[in-house]
């Protein structure tokens, strides 16, 4: 049984990943600091092949023996927060990765796990035309994506100099039940169900690629199982919608008008106009996303209604 040390496994995407990995028979040690974004409703704590350690990746002092992969999801992940105060982003997203690299380096070479690092399509910055491939330059535009790009640079440096083994995956925008309702779609559903208007930055015409968290995690596990050490993989859906169109899909499903549901607020500084990545490298490993946003929205709303007792 392969042993994974998953960090941030109580977070939105991490919790889908832990659940999937446990079901596939991996042994999972979940290290999570339990920030505000950690889920309290997961049901995998009692599984036999699972243990939990409440710890900060930036200060943890060792990696247990026999770990095959450190799968690093742990991060501060909300762009808006990074614009107002960046210290936690610096500490977790850069300091945490630095600490993990040093902990791997300190281990005997025969017991060094591979670092499987979860990054973001945001590290490329705006895709003015076409889609970024893994060979393209990193040009992050906001404080969050800058910390994610910095972490990748540390990994490249430690790999080249110290022989640390690593794989990096850059995922696009995830959606699904369990996401902390600061993120666009979860926030839209919760606001509207609570009778509040949803706020949209600017005119909302900036484009994002959307992927269901379960599809993303299947992609990540495919790369972990079949991908090549030392490589970077984009993990995305090719399903591109502007922010306003994605929000409008929810508004329409709830039977509301735009006037009833939405209010526009000033755009946020550093807003990228479009994210788009080419994920043919990951798809060549035999993976493809199965769900579309439009198909998932009715379930999405029902799950949040249940959560809110409506
Ligand atoms: N959400 C997205 O759409 C998206 C897209 C691409 C990449 N990513 C990346 O995927 C990863 C997970 O994103 P998410 O949306 O699930 O995040 P999240 O904010 O929902 O969860 C983050 C989890 O990490 C934990 N954590 C934070 N700092 C920690 C630390 N220093 N030590 C230990 N645990 C810590 C939190 O308690 C939480 O459980 C992040 O690295 C993010 O950059 C997210």
């Amino acid at each position: 049984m392969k042993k994974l040390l998953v960090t941030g496994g109580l977070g939105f995407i991490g919790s889908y990943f832990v659940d999937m990995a446990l079901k596939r028979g991996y042994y999972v040690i979940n290290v999570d600091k339990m920030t505000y974004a950690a889920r309290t409703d997961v049901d995998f704590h009692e599984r036999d092949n699972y243990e939990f350690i409440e710890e900060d990746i930036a200060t943890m002092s060792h990696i247990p023996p026999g770990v095959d992969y450190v799968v690093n999801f742990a991060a501060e992940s909300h762009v808006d927060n990074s614009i107002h105060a960046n210290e936690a982003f610096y500490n977790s997203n850069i300091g945490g990765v630095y600490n993990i690299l040093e902990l791997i380096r300190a281990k005997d070479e025969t017991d060094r796990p591979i670092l499987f690092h979860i990054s973001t399509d945001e590290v490329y910055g705006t895709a003015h035309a076409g889609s970024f491939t893994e060979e393209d330059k990193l040009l992050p535009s906001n404080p969050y994506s800058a910390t994610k790009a910095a972490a990748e640079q540390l990994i490249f440096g430690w790999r080249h100099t110290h022989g640390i083994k690593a794989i990096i995956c850059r995922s696009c925008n995830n959606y699904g039940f369990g996401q902390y309702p600061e993120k666009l779609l979860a926030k839209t559903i919760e606001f509207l169900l609570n009778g509040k208007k949803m706020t949209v930055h600017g005119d909302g015409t900036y484009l994002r690629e959307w992927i269901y968290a379960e599809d993303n995690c299947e992609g990540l596990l495919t790369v972990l199982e079949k991908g090549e050490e030392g490589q970077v993989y984009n993990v995305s859906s090719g399903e591109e919608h502007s922010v306003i169109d994605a929000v409008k899909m929810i508004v329409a499903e709830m039977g509301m008008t735009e006037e009833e549901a939405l209010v526009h607020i000033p755009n946020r500084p550093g807003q990228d106009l479009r994210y788009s990545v080419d994920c043919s490298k990951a798809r060549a490993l035999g993976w493809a996303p199965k769900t579309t946003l439009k198909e998932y929205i009715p379930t999405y709303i029902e799950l949040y209604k249940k959560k809110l007792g409506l």
Side-chain angles (χ1 to χ4, degrees), residues 138-157:
L138 306 190
L139 276 175
S141 316
N142 63 59
Y144 159 71
S145 55
T147 62
K148 296 297 286 186
E152 288 201 30
Q153 302 296 351
L154 292 183
I155 295 168
F156 296 138

Side-chain angles (χ1 to χ4, degrees), residues 7-15 31-39 55-59 72-78 88 91-93 96 117-122 144 148 169-175 178-180 182-183 216:
T7 74
L10 292 182
F12 166 49
I13 307 172
S15 62
V31 174
D32 198 297
K33 182 182 158 183
M34 299 189 75
T35 68
Y36 73 94
R39 293 180 67 178
E55 203 153 30
D56 185 333
I57 56 163
T59 52
N72 184 41
F73 288 96
E76 290 295 331
S77 65
H78 190 43
N91 290 337
S92 293
N93 303 6
H117 179 71
I118 314 304
S119 191
T120 165
D121 61 354
E122 296 196 27
Y144 159 71
K148 296 297 286 186
C169 285
R170 299 178 182 142
S171 300
C172 66
N173 259 27
N174 280 235
Y175 60 84
Q179 190 165 35
Y180 192 78
E182 62 190 353
K183 305 270 171 43
N216 179 34

Side-chain angles (χ1 to χ4, degrees), residues 173-176 179 183-189 192 198-200 203-211 237 239-254 256 258 261-262 264 292-298 300-301:
N173 259 27
N174 280 235
Y175 60 84
Q179 190 165 35
K183 305 270 171 43
L184 186 80
L185 302 184
K187 185 172 171 181
T188 302
I189 296 173
L192 299 186
M198 176 60 190
T199 51
V200 177
D203 62 7
T205 52
Y206 26 93
L207 294 157
R208 302 290 183 256
E209 256 186 282
W210 305 89
I211 192 167
S237 63
E239 191 188 350
E240 190 168 310
H241 302 289
S242 68
V243 161
I244 190 73
D245 285 347
V247 166
K248 279 195 217 164
M249 283 188 216
I250 294 171
V251 172
E253 183 65 28
M254 288 193 176
M256 299 172 83
E258 266 180 76
L262 306 179
H264 291 266
T292 66
L293 180 58
K294 202 171 172 58
E295 283 163 0
Y296 184 72
I297 280 175
Y300 211 172
I301 295 170

Side-chain angles (χ1 to χ4, degrees), residues 1-6 17 21-22 24-30 48-51 53 62-71 107 111-116 221 224:
M1 188 192 289
K2 285 236 193 278
K3 203 188 253 192
L4 310 179
L5 187 148
V6 179
F17 184 89
L22 290 170
R24 287 200 194 179
Y26 286 97
Y27 189 90
V28 175
I29 305 169
N30 181 8
D48 291 341
N49 49 339
Y50 175 82
E51 59 187 277
I53 303 172
H62 83 294
I63 292 171
V67 170
D68 297 290
Y69 292 87
V70 173
V71 183
K107 284 179 95 67
D111 188 39
R112 281 184 177 175
I114 294 177
L115 174 55
F116 191 89
L221 268 168
L224 188 143

